[in-house]
Amino acid sequence: MRVVEELAMTENFKGGLASVFKGEYVGAYMDVQYYMLKNMAQILDSAHSKIENGEAEDFTLVANILRMLEMVQMPYVAEDITAFLVDPKDANLPTQELVSSDDKSDEEEENAFFTVGAKRKAGSDSKPKKTKENRGLRSVKQHQHTFSLAWIALLRHKLPQASYQKVLVKMPDEIMPHLVNPLLLADFLTDSYSIGGVTSLLALNSLFILIQDYNFDLPDFYTKLYALLDDPSLYSAKQRDRFFGLLNLFLSSTHLPAYMVAAFAKRLSRRALTAEPGAILFILPMVYNLILRHKECLQLIHRTGAFTAAEQAAKRREELSSSTAVDAAANQLSNKTKEIILKDGHDPFVNDELDPVKCNALQTSLWELYTMKYHYNADVAVKARMFEEQLRHQFVDVNMSMEITYKSLFDKQLKRKEKGNVSLAYQTCNALFLNGVNGDECESMDEKSVFAQVFEL
């Protein structure tokens, strides 16, 4: 306990000291790792109590604890637990008889852990049973228990921005698989998802694991995801391919309402106006698949300024359903206003509205896709012309589009062979030095400079 506390408080826990501590102790002996995790949880809980009493956050402590947690190599099976600095007293006992050296404290910790909520995987309703087989230094379950205590204690503290994002990157693959109850991360991940920007993007993957594997329910998930699309930095972030993959997965459900799908299609189309070509090459097939999957959104492509017969009938039914003449007049005036907006070329879509229900996506059109036909990138222009053809019955593969970057586009253009000469200027150059601003002005002058006469082509 004292060694871990001193290392956690020192400002020099880096370089050689950290390397020796990891190589000769934490990485070499499982019992050292086990008790280090247990002591870290106690130190962090004590520090959190001091913060609640008014003391300032100790970022040195948080940084050192995080550095120690990065040294931990969790076992997957009991056969991985082999080396001990001090052989346990129960070394010769069978696995069923192994008990923790601190029986009472472990019992209290496990009770506190499992009262928060049992691990709920899909198709499983039973709580994990505590037996003596789950306890002891040779038990993977016991190591996961101390690992969970340390991480939950750390996440109660305020993390620096760089460390915060680093934890979110490691969360789905290196942290969550070793936790006793990943649902304890629900509040942390939900708060991270609400921050916005790259932080929300990094939290999205772990949050999806909770939703898919542990039946976690987040009612406003799609509303926050829609608001997340408004951040332009996500379309050029390093983790863009991961975000696009999850977005494609979330919107692949056929049970989403039409207004929700229309809102996402419109938001993506609007972002395509300012996004880089790599992002646009994903957005176009993504929107195409959304419309193909939800035929109610087909009107977003072919809508014109005038109302269709079906829309006129719907307006008439709305007017007739009004209880009073005043309501009927108000509805009629509202419909005329909408008709004027559409006919004048104004988009009824509310771009600043972050609620997909209130953004009027079903009343708009995807005119942004039409402008993509004239994009400077030839691949973008070709894909944009898909919407002018008859809709296929087969979805467009978006997996290859997720990994397109500026570098891949540049390398592709370098390998491209052009037929004939490429025009570099719209006017023919006839001299290196001109008297005027342009060639026409130069030709209209009777006298030319000496340089212009010498270097005339």
Side-chain angles (χ1 to χ4, degrees):
M1 176 73 173
R2 184 178 300 176
V3 174
V4 176
E5 188 173 6
E6 289 295 329
L7 291 175
M9 296 295 183
T10 183
E11 296 182 357
N12 299 320
F13 186 62
K14 53 187 176 181
L17 178 59
S19 179
V20 170
F21 183 66
K22 176 183 178 181
E24 297 186 8
Y25 294 97
V26 179
Y29 304 108
M30 297 301 298
D31 53 345
V32 174
Q33 176 178 288
Y34 172 83
Y35 287 109
M36 182 192 72
L37 291 171
K38 195 170 184 178
N39 293 333
M40 282 194 301
Q42 297 174 3
I43 294 170
L44 289 169
D45 289 339
S46 177
H48 188 264
S49 300
K50 294 179 181 179
I51 294 173
E52 291 180 343
N53 293 331
E55 295 188 13
E57 181 76 64
D58 188 357
F59 289 104
T60 302
L61 171 66
V62 174
N64 289 340
I65 292 292
L66 185 59
R67 191 173 289 112
M68 292 182 190
L69 285 172
E70 292 175 352
M71 301 177 182
V72 174
Q73 297 179 354
M74 289 296 294
Y76 288 91
V77 292
E79 287 74 13
D80 296 336
I81 307 174
T82 54
F84 296 95
L85 180 62
V86 178
D87 290 334
K89 296 179 181 179
D90 48 12
N92 298 323
L93 295 178
T95 307
Q96 289 79 2
E97 299 297 329
L98 292 178
V99 294
S100 174
S101 58
D102 190 357
D103 192 10
K104 185 176 180 181
S105 62
D106 286 351
E107 184 82 19
E108 294 175 354
E109 290 172 356
E110 287 191 9
N111 288 335
F113 226 82
F114 288 112
T115 52
V116 179
K119 185 177 182 180
R120 297 179 297 161
K121 285 199 173 184
S124 176
D125 298 329
S126 60
K127 290 186 177 181
K129 297 180 180 179
K130 295 183 297 177
T131 62
K132 290 185 178 181
E133 188 176 359
N134 290 335
R135 301 161 62 183
L137 289 178
R138 287 186 177 84
S139 171
V140 176
K141 191 76 172 180
Q142 190 69 8
H143 285 268
Q144 291 178 347
H145 177 70
T146 53
F147 183 78
S148 302
L149 289 176
W151 270 108
I152 297 301
L154 176 66
L155 296 180
R156 293 194 185 103
H157 291 260
K158 185 177 181 180
L159 301 177
Q161 183 65 20
S163 301
Y164 198 109
Q165 295 184 359
K166 193 174 183 180
V167 169
L168 289 175
V169 170
K170 295 183 177 182
M171 187 70 70
D173 299 324
E174 300 181 23
I175 300 176
M176 293 183 69
H178 302 292
L179 295 180
V180 175
N181 185 12
L183 284 173
L184 293 175
L185 299 173
D187 291 339
F188 172 76
L189 293 175
T190 303
D191 294 340
S192 303
Y193 185 51
S194 303
I195 292 176
V198 179
T199 304
S200 297
L201 188 154
L202 297 175
L204 190 60
N205 198 2
S206 302
L207 201 58
F208 172 69
I209 294 176
L210 291 184
I211 295 173
Q212 184 183 44
D213 296 340
Y214 300 93
N215 298 332
F216 178 65
D217 185 21
L218 187 60
D220 54 348
F221 175 78
Y222 281 97
T223 302
K224 292 182 178 180
L225 183 62
Y226 176 77
L228 189 61
L229 293 179
D230 195 45
D231 190 349
S233 63
L234 296 183
Y235 299 89
S236 57
K238 292 181 180 179
Q239 299 84 5
R240 182 180 67 186
D241 55 343
R242 180 187 301 180
F243 172 65
F244 285 163
L246 292 174
L247 181 64
N248 181 48
L249 182 63
F250 296 146
L251 298 180
S252 61
S253 174
T254 57
H255 299 288
L256 293 175
Y259 73 86
M260 183 73 70
V261 176
F264 276 93
K266 181 65 177 179
R267 175 69 73 185
L268 288 171
S269 301
R270 183 62 61 89
R271 275 294 154 206
L273 295 176
T274 56
E276 62 181 61
I280 300 175
L281 290 173
F282 166 80
I283 291 175
L284 292 176
M286 179 70 185
V287 174
Y288 188 90
N289 290 342
L290 287 176
I291 296 175
L292 185 61
R293 191 178 291 114
H294 302 270
K295 297 298 175 52
E296 302 91 342
C297 299
L298 190 61
Q299 56 184 326
L300 300 180
I301 300 178
H302 302 295
R303 170 170 281 137
T304 60
F307 285 96
T308 63
E311 291 172 333
Q312 291 177 355
K315 287 194 303 176
R316 185 59 180 166
R317 284 195 300 269
E318 184 179 355
E319 293 174 2
L320 294 176
S321 62
S322 302
S323 57
T324 63
V326 177
D327 293 337
N331 289 333
Q332 186 176 5
L333 180 61
S334 176
N335 290 331
K336 286 183 178 180
T337 304
K338 291 181 181 179
E339 187 173 357
I340 291 173
I341 290 176
L342 285 173
K343 285 186 176 181
D344 286 347
H346 297 289
D347 194 344
F349 175 71
V350 184
N351 189 47
D352 297 332
E353 178 58 57
L354 299 181
D355 189 351
V357 181
K358 303 176 182 178
C359 65
N360 299 331
L362 276 176
Q363 284 76 41
T364 183
S365 65
L366 300 181
W367 57 266
E368 297 89 350
L369 302 180
Y370 185 83
T371 64
M372 294 295 108
K373 295 195 307 178
Y374 307 99
H375 198 273
Y376 72 89
N377 186 276
D379 295 335
V380 173
V382 170
K383 283 199 173 184
R385 292 187 176 92
M386 292 190 306
F387 295 91
E388 292 184 335
E389 304 171 357
Q390 186 177 1
L391 284 180
R392 311 172 187 173
H393 296 287
Q394 187 176 5
F395 295 105
V396 180
D397 186 16
V398 298
N399 293 326
M400 297 298 296
S401 303
M402 297 178 189
E403 302 176 357
I404 297 177
T405 60
Y406 263 128
K407 185 179 184 304
S408 62
L409 291 174
F410 187 77
D411 293 340
K412 181 180 179 181
Q413 293 300 322
L414 287 179
K415 298 177 182 178
R416 181 179 177 182
K417 295 182 179 180
E418 295 289 344
K419 296 181 180 179
N421 297 326
V422 179
S423 300
L424 300 178
Y426 67 95
Q427 288 183 345
T428 304
C429 181
N430 54 13
L432 296 181
F433 298 96
L434 303 177
N435 287 332
V437 179
N438 52 46
D440 295 337
E441 186 177 348
C442 177
E443 292 177 358
S444 63
M445 293 184 177
D446 297 333
E447 297 181 359
K448 295 184 179 180
S449 66
V450 177
F451 289 104
Q453 294 177 2
V454 173
F455 293 97
E456 185 175 2
L457 300 179

